[in-house]
Amino acid sequence: MTERIKIKEIKTSTQSNVDRYNPSNRIYVRAVYGLFQKLRRYTGWGLIILFLALPMIRWNGHQAVLFDIAKQQYHIFNMTLFPQDLTLLAWIFIIAAFALFFITTYLGRVWCGYTCPQTVWTFIFIWFEERFEGTANKRKRLDQMPWSFNKIWRKAAKHTGWIIVSLLTGLAFSSYFVPVDELYFDFITFNGGFATTASILFFATITYANAGWMRSIVCTHMCPYARFQSTMFDKDTYIVGYDTTRGEKRGPRRRKADPKELGLGDCVDCDLCVQVCPTGIDIRDGLQYECINCGACIDACDETMVKMGYEKGLISYTSEQKLAGKETHVMRPKIIGYGLMLLVMIGMFITNIINLSSAELEIVRDRTALYRENSEGLIENTYTLKILNKTIETQTYDLSFSGLQDAQLIGPKKIVIKSGEILTQPISIAVDAYDMKEKKVMITIKLTSSTGDVEEIEQQSPFFTGS
């Protein structure tokens, strides 16, 4: 082949001296305010409050959300799940995957920019930096200064804040698996078990390292999502994009100067879009996998445009089609396919929840003998009932059976089972052999709620006579 593949050469900004591909280089993110940063801030705080508050909520006398691994019980408000119900977890993962595909195809990496825990916690940690060490330029100068009392106390205060947030994160995460009533008290009083304490410290360390030190390295070097997102993008996907037609040729100028007379575009080359970017890229170089669609560069550029008296939107949420002067197609086969699959998965998940039983009944026959003749001359079959109460309350069931005429139940007629308890109850069913015409009859054993609060449970099992 003699044809050469066309290569687009991208030159990085000369104003940013940070090599973003070198993990050892630190990015000093400049604070920016605007519509999208306000939206991101409110979204982040809302998710954090939800994360912290869910384990604190009481529901019918117990923790609303608790995944008790030791007891193999998973409480989610009014629903208690057991290991055999964890197929629901698979449905949740499938729904999350298709939701991610759908949103990414439509709006790009908005998950990364607005709701990803790495992003949310990173900006919390940056907030502590700004409060104790100042703006981005002040933080950079402080790091270059020799150690002094001023530098030591500021660094110590910042890291203390980081450690407190990290420990609270570890405690909040662990409270989904350990009852919150005892978790915080045991940790503060140093009475927690080894496994619980180790898990808290582990997640605290991970939070401290990821949000405090690695930050964008997680996004650019560790997160797989940035690598495979290109398979979901197309030219109609909404991305953060720079309008080169309007912005070029870029260059500085006085506020009242006419850019057309100077042969310039609207971009004043202030480099603010680079300084506010959490991953340190220059959006003017085009679409890059490091971009997390956070909109920080949009707010920074809009602020500059307002000051210069230009129209906003030089950097905006747009698509490659729109940047090329074409129409963006929202409804397209890929996004319709993802949307339909998402609806199907949600429907199947809801169906599984609706069909989820409040109790389970397993019948185990006596394995030593198919039947026996008791002292009254009746043919008797012995069964062991294993009953699991999957509700959050103690349940009373009436025990009965059908399928045999003139037969009697030997055992309790009422069964009381505590929440989450697996009760093993032996019973026998006896019948006069004279009334039996067949060697084997299928019977149905039923459990009916005495209060009628839960549905009837029934299971079939064979009854042998030997006749």
Side-chain angles (χ1 to χ4, degrees):
M1 294 177 64
T2 57
E3 245 183 83
R4 296 181 61 188
I5 299 174
K6 292 182 179 180
I7 299 175
K8 180 182 179 182
E9 183 181 356
I10 295 178
K11 295 181 179 178
T12 56
S13 173
T14 57
Q15 297 188 39
S16 177
N17 297 321
V18 177
D19 179 8
R20 67 179 187 273
Y21 298 107
N22 187 347
S24 63
N25 285 336
R26 184 184 179 120
I27 297 173
Y28 295 86
V29 181
R30 179 170 178 164
V32 60
Y33 304 95
L35 173 63
F36 297 109
Q37 300 320 292
K38 184 181 293 185
L39 176 62
R40 184 168 61 164
R41 185 163 57 251
Y42 290 155
T43 301
W45 278 115
L47 291 173
I48 289 172
I49 292 171
L50 182 65
F51 170 71
L52 295 173
L54 269 180
M56 304 289 184
I57 299 173
R58 304 296 297 179
W59 189 269
N60 289 340
H62 70 90
Q63 191 169 318
V65 179
L66 177 63
F67 306 109
D68 195 334
I69 297 175
K71 295 181 180 179
Q72 296 187 338
Q73 298 177 16
Y74 313 101
H75 304 283
I76 305 174
F77 290 93
N78 206 41
M79 182 170 57
T80 301
L81 303 177
F82 292 83
Q84 54 266 44
D85 299 318
L86 289 186
T87 51
L88 290 172
L89 185 62
W91 285 114
I92 292 174
F93 285 143
I94 294 172
I95 290 171
F98 276 104
L100 189 63
F101 298 160
F102 177 81
I103 293 172
T104 303
T105 303
Y106 180 39
L107 296 173
R109 293 182 65 186
V110 291
W111 157 263
C112 298
Y114 290 84
T115 58
C116 175
Q118 175 67 23
T119 303
V120 173
W121 260 257
T122 294
F123 276 88
I124 292 175
F125 277 46
I126 290 176
W127 182 88
F128 278 96
E129 282 188 344
E130 292 173 345
R131 291 300 173 275
F132 293 110
E133 298 182 4
T135 62
N137 289 332
K138 288 182 179 179
R139 297 199 300 272
K140 189 173 183 179
R141 285 198 301 270
L142 184 68
D143 286 345
Q144 295 170 348
M145 290 169 57
W147 285 99
S148 63
F149 175 77
N150 178 63
K151 183 173 181 177
I152 290 173
W153 85 259
R154 290 183 184 278
K155 291 288 184 181
K158 178 189 73 173
H159 284 281
T160 301
W162 285 5
I163 291 171
I164 291 173
V165 172
S166 299
L167 285 174
L168 286 175
T169 303
L171 282 164
F173 188 87
S174 299
S175 65
Y176 283 86
F177 302 92
V178 180
V180 71
D181 295 339
E182 58 189 61
L183 177 68
Y184 286 84
F185 180 79
D186 288 346
F187 182 76
I188 294 172
T189 58
F190 301 100
N191 290 321
F194 173 78
T196 302
T197 304
S199 65
I200 294 170
L201 296 178
F202 172 77
F203 286 107
T205 303
I206 293 299
T207 303
Y208 179 79
N210 283 1
W213 293 98
M214 291 191 286
R215 296 186 180 176
S216 61
I217 296 174
V218 175
C219 303
T220 57
H221 293 76
M222 298 169 64
C223 179
Y225 181 41
R227 304 295 178 174
F228 67 76
Q229 65 166 334
S230 59
T231 61
M232 290 170 275
F233 273 36
D234 55 39
K235 291 188 177 181
D236 293 297
T237 299
Y238 281 95
I239 57 172
V240 175
Y242 165 71
D243 189 348
T244 54
T245 303
R246 175 186 159 188
E248 301 296 322
K249 177 182 177 182
R250 66 182 84 157
R253 79 291 306 265
R254 290 179 298 176
R255 184 178 298 180
K256 295 182 179 180
D258 186 354
K260 292 182 180 179
E261 292 181 359
L262 300 173
L264 299 173
D266 284 355
C267 179
V268 300
D269 209 16
C270 63
D271 211 28
L272 282 177
C273 55
V274 180
Q275 296 175 30
V276 301
C277 180
T279 57
I281 65 171
D282 188 341
I283 196 63
R284 295 170 296 181
D285 292 336
L287 179 63
Q288 297 151 77
Y289 79 87
E290 298 98 335
C291 178
I292 60 174
N293 272 29
C294 65
C297 56
I298 298 177
D299 288 330
C301 186
D302 283 349
E303 185 179 346
T304 300
M305 293 296 104
V306 170
K307 290 179 179 179
M308 296 297 297
Y310 300 161
E311 183 184 354
K312 292 182 179 180
L314 178 60
I315 301 175
S316 63
Y317 282 106
T318 182
S319 68
E320 290 190 58
Q321 291 278 47
K322 189 174 181 180
L323 290 174
K326 301 176 182 178
E327 183 182 354
T328 300
H329 301 91
V330 176
M331 302 302 292
R332 50 197 188 275
K334 183 190 288 188
I335 201 167
I336 292 173
Y338 284 143
L340 289 176
M341 288 302 299
L342 178 60
L343 291 176
V344 170
M345 296 302 121
I346 292 174
M348 296 182 75
F349 175 68
I350 293 173
T351 301
N352 272 263
I353 290 181
I354 293 173
N355 294 329
L356 199 64
S357 61
S358 60
E360 287 192 3
L361 170 62
E362 182 183 357
I363 303 173
V364 181
R365 285 186 49 82
D366 185 2
R367 297 175 181 175
T368 58
L370 292 178
Y371 64 94
R372 68 184 180 89
E373 185 176 341
N374 64 18
S375 58
E376 298 177 4
L378 300 177
I379 299 299
E380 186 177 314
N381 280 208
T382 302
Y383 305 89
T384 299
L385 306 183
K386 291 187 176 181
I387 310 164
L388 169 62
N389 178 11
K390 297 168 67 176
T391 67
I392 60 174
E393 298 175 347
T394 299
Q395 297 292 338
T396 302
Y397 293 98
D398 295 323
L399 179 62
S400 62
F401 70 95
S402 61
L404 280 177
Q405 293 184 351
D406 300 324
Q408 57 180 319
L409 174 65
I410 303 172
K413 305 300 186 293
K414 281 188 179 292
I415 296 177
V416 179
I417 314 174
K418 296 179 181 178
S419 174
E421 181 185 4
I422 301 177
L423 178 68
T424 301
Q425 177 63 57
I427 64 167
S428 296
I429 296 177
V431 67
D432 192 336
Y434 181 78
D435 297 329
M436 298 297 299
K437 306 298 182 187
E438 301 176 0
K439 293 183 178 182
K440 176 184 175 182
V441 177
M442 294 301 295
I443 63 170
T444 302
I445 297 177
K446 301 178 182 179
L447 289 174
T448 308
S449 174
S450 299
T451 59
D453 294 337
V454 294
E455 72 273 14
E456 182 180 83
I457 311 154
E458 60 180 39
Q459 192 70 260
Q460 287 190 326
S461 186
F463 184 93
F464 294 96
T465 64
S467 59

